[in-house]
Amino acid sequence: MGLIEQGSHRHSHKCVVPIHHDPQYQMPCHKLPDHGVSASVAYELISSSLLLDGQARLNLATFVTTWMPSIAAKLMAETANKNIIDKDEYPQTAEIEARCVNILADLWNSPESEDATGCSTTGSSEAAMLSGLALKWRWRERMRKAGKPTDRPNLVTGSNVQVCWEKFCRYWDVEPKLVPMEGNRYHLDAEQAVAHCDENTIGVVAVLGSTFDGSYEPVKEIAEALDKLESDTGLHVPLHVDAASGGFVAPFMQPDLEWDFRIPRVQSINASGHKYGLVYPGVGWALWRDKEALPKDLVFDVNYLGGHMPTFSLNFSRPGSEVIAQYFMFAMLGREGYHRVIQNAQDVALQLSKGIAELGPYELLTEGKDLPVFAFTLKPEITNYSVYDVSDRLRQNGWLVPAYTFPENRQDLSVLRIVVRAGMNHDMAELLLEQLGEQTQFLQSLNAPFPSPADEASRQAFAH
């Protein structure tokens, strides 16, 4: 639940019911009304208000799934009342969760894929935090056995990581070692990863699909560098892979790429089922190499709702519908189907990146060859308008294409980014290119800089 600050004047605002019901009736928006309205009137009131939202299919900012088959939505509605934590009352939902964990373990080449260690979560953020906790607990145990202090743990990541890792470090008192970008290096590499490790490092996080530009970090190279570090110094630093998006892309599009449990140093992996797992939010997955990689102290045996059950999560009660929807997509698509859907997304991404490069003023940072995601910027000679102006003009056509600056050491670089997901097709891509061309032509025709706020960063409508 987000924390929203509202001015006091907002709380006097009244919600007006549909005019054909009773134009005189109003109710407060920010407190419970004395008397409710009928279900149909409440539905019309809320659905009318939601018309002001952007169109989800035209949202090229989000990685989150915005389209599923209608029958999947029907299945989710039918199972939204199942509490996934209540495994005693809903044993088949628990069985489906276990099947999903084993399917992913097989997909990610786990040595224990038939009896994998893992769980569903509300998304990759929770999965990342659980994985980080396991890293911290195992590091703390190693340090205690060595008779060393355990009060200064740190975690090494690139500065391009999703904000959930910064949250993990803040919430669980771990020093974040965020390796800054340098020049044309936009993510973590092996040399920098090792350079930032010490005996207090609980682990290194490698990202399979950076949210900034869609590129993969070199997981195998980072692992080999950490192997050498341990061989040379005795320093053991485990590796976690944040595969929020790439975990559902690489197995189908780059099957020979070694990034997963084929690499012995990889101890855990997180992924988002509600991204390229093709499920509506929110479902994520956390998997560990084996039972030893997940400290037993973090797993609770809870006597709840009629039975004993092991649980490892930050959340407790939540609907089983998203996990059931994940299994639905696995069953409906299989390997061939996932490959087909992701291949189409990548084809559309390459179509768009090629077309944008051909427009003239734009320069590609990535093309969409890893994730079906790419970032582009304006060429240095373009001074009359900015990427924020391009984003604003596209919004007039309904397209949500985020503009933002890169993090520390490359804050001079402002880019636009496009995420291609299921539901985006070649015809829509052609329409986007046509409308981007029209808006670019307008901006190019300016004979003076486009008016903009003094603080350009204040226009940033997107944060990772």
Side-chain angles (χ1 to χ4, degrees):
M1 181 173 66
L3 299 177
I4 303 174
E5 295 182 2
Q6 301 280 13
S8 58
H9 66 282
R10 295 288 302 277
H11 294 276
S12 62
H13 181 66
K14 301 289 185 180
C15 292
V16 181
V17 301
I19 193 166
H20 59 265
H21 174 71
D22 182 357
Q24 303 303 314
Y25 181 80
Q26 295 182 341
M27 68 179 193
C29 290
H30 298 279
K31 63 180 182 179
L32 278 175
D34 293 332
H35 304 284
V37 296
S38 68
S40 60
V41 169
Y43 174 85
E44 285 201 50
L45 175 67
I46 295 168
S47 62
S48 297
S49 177
L50 292 174
L51 291 173
L52 298 175
D53 276 348
Q55 292 295 316
R57 292 277 294 279
L58 301 184
N59 182 359
L60 303 181
T62 184
F63 283 77
V64 174
T65 298
T66 53
W67 180 88
M68 288 185 74
S70 58
I71 195 168
K74 179 176 183 291
L75 180 63
M76 292 182 75
E78 291 172 354
T79 56
N81 60 350
K82 294 179 183 289
N83 184 2
I84 198 168
I85 204 68
D86 187 357
K87 293 176 170 54
D88 187 63
E89 292 296 324
Y90 305 111
Q92 202 56 31
T93 299
E95 168 64 18
I96 285 174
E97 179 184 22
R99 290 180 191 177
C100 288
V101 168
N102 287 337
I103 287 169
L104 288 171
D106 177 66
L107 199 63
W108 298 339
N109 296 286
S110 167
E112 298 186 356
S113 60
E114 294 184 3
D115 187 24
T117 300
C119 62
S120 69
T121 62
T122 54
S124 254
S125 293
E126 183 187 3
M129 299 218 184
L130 297 178
S131 302
L133 282 171
L135 290 175
K136 181 178 179 180
W137 254 244
R138 292 185 69 198
W139 167 83
R140 188 172 63 184
E141 183 62 23
R142 291 195 302 272
M143 295 293 280
R144 283 174 175 169
K145 286 181 178 179
K148 296 181 178 180
T150 61
D151 59 336
R152 298 186 61 187
N154 67 67
L155 181 72
V156 174
T157 74
S159 61
N160 58 302
V161 291
Q162 216 270 352
V163 70
C164 67
W165 287 104
E166 296 181 57
K167 285 185 176 181
F168 163 75
C169 289
R170 186 176 300 180
Y171 294 169
W172 277 279
D173 200 21
V174 175
E175 177 194 356
K177 287 194 171 183
L178 302 175
V179 179
M181 297 179 177
E182 294 288 351
N184 292 328
R185 178 179 59 74
Y186 302 129
H187 57 224
L188 187 66
D189 64 12
E191 180 182 359
Q192 289 298 317
V194 168
H196 285 75
C197 290
D198 57 37
E199 68 174 356
N200 290 318
T201 302
I202 66 173
V204 171
V205 175
V207 179
L208 196 74
S210 171
T211 58
F212 280 88
D213 61 5
S215 63
Y216 293 161
E217 291 184 340
V219 179
K220 187 175 182 180
E221 292 178 18
I222 293 172
E224 290 172 344
L226 292 173
D227 289 344
K228 187 175 188 304
L229 177 68
E230 183 166 5
S231 175
D232 292 346
T233 68
L235 187 63
H236 176 72
V237 180
L239 184 60
H240 171 83
V241 179
D242 182 346
S245 296
F248 283 97
V249 174
F252 309 110
M253 301 304 299
Q254 301 96 9
D256 295 329
L257 178 67
E258 293 185 37
W259 64 272
D260 51 20
F261 291 121
R262 284 171 287 185
I263 301 172
R265 192 160 293 269
V266 172
Q267 296 300 299
S268 50
I269 299 172
N270 70 273
S272 290
H274 60 228
K275 293 180 180 174
Y276 288 102
L278 308 180
V279 176
Y280 287 143
V283 59
W285 300 96
L287 269 69
W288 286 266
R289 166 172 290 279
D290 48 36
K291 290 179 175 61
E292 286 68 37
L294 177 59
K296 293 180 180 179
D297 287 349
L298 289 173
V299 181
F300 287 81
D301 183 69
V302 181
N303 184 1
Y304 179 64
L305 297 176
H308 287 270
M309 57 183 181
T311 179
F312 178 37
S313 63
L314 301 181
N315 293 290
F316 208 60
S317 294
R318 55 189 171 91
S321 51
E322 285 83 4
V323 168
I324 291 169
Q326 182 75 82
Y327 190 60
F328 170 88
M329 296 305 293
F330 287 161
M332 186 187 77
L333 291 175
R335 283 181 178 265
E336 184 277 332
Y338 266 93
H339 179 271
R340 182 178 66 251
V341 172
I342 304 299
Q343 180 70 68
N344 180 73
Q346 190 170 75
D347 290 344
V348 172
L350 294 173
Q351 172 191 0
L352 282 169
S353 63
K354 181 176 182 291
I356 289 170
E358 290 173 351
L359 288 176
Y362 302 106
E363 184 176 292
L364 297 176
L365 274 68
T366 48
E367 300 174 71
K369 291 183 177 179
D370 289 340
L371 294 183
V373 175
F374 63 94
F376 58 104
T377 188
L378 287 166
K379 291 180 178 177
E381 60 267 24
I382 305 299
T383 57
N384 274 5
Y385 59 97
S386 70
V387 293
Y388 299 99
D389 298 317
V390 177
S391 179
D392 287 345
R393 298 295 298 186
L394 284 174
R395 188 177 287 265
Q396 295 179 20
N397 296 112
W399 297 103
L400 304 180
V401 178
Y404 53 93
T405 59
F406 269 32
E408 184 182 358
N409 281 23
R410 286 312 318 265
Q411 291 172 328
D412 59 307
L413 180 59
S414 297
V415 305
L416 295 142
R417 190 200 66 200
I418 286 178
V419 178
V420 179
R421 305 177 309 280
M424 180 73 172
N425 57 42
H426 290 283
D427 289 341
M428 293 171 68
E430 282 300 321
L431 181 60
L432 172 58
L433 287 171
E434 178 183 329
Q435 294 177 342
L436 176 59
E438 291 171 357
Q439 298 297 350
T440 301
Q441 187 175 12
F442 166 78
L443 292 167
Q444 285 284 101
S445 70
L446 299 173
N447 55 20
F450 198 78
S452 61
D455 180 13
E456 192 74 67
S458 68
R459 302 173 67 188
Q460 182 167 325
F462 170 78
H464 293 270

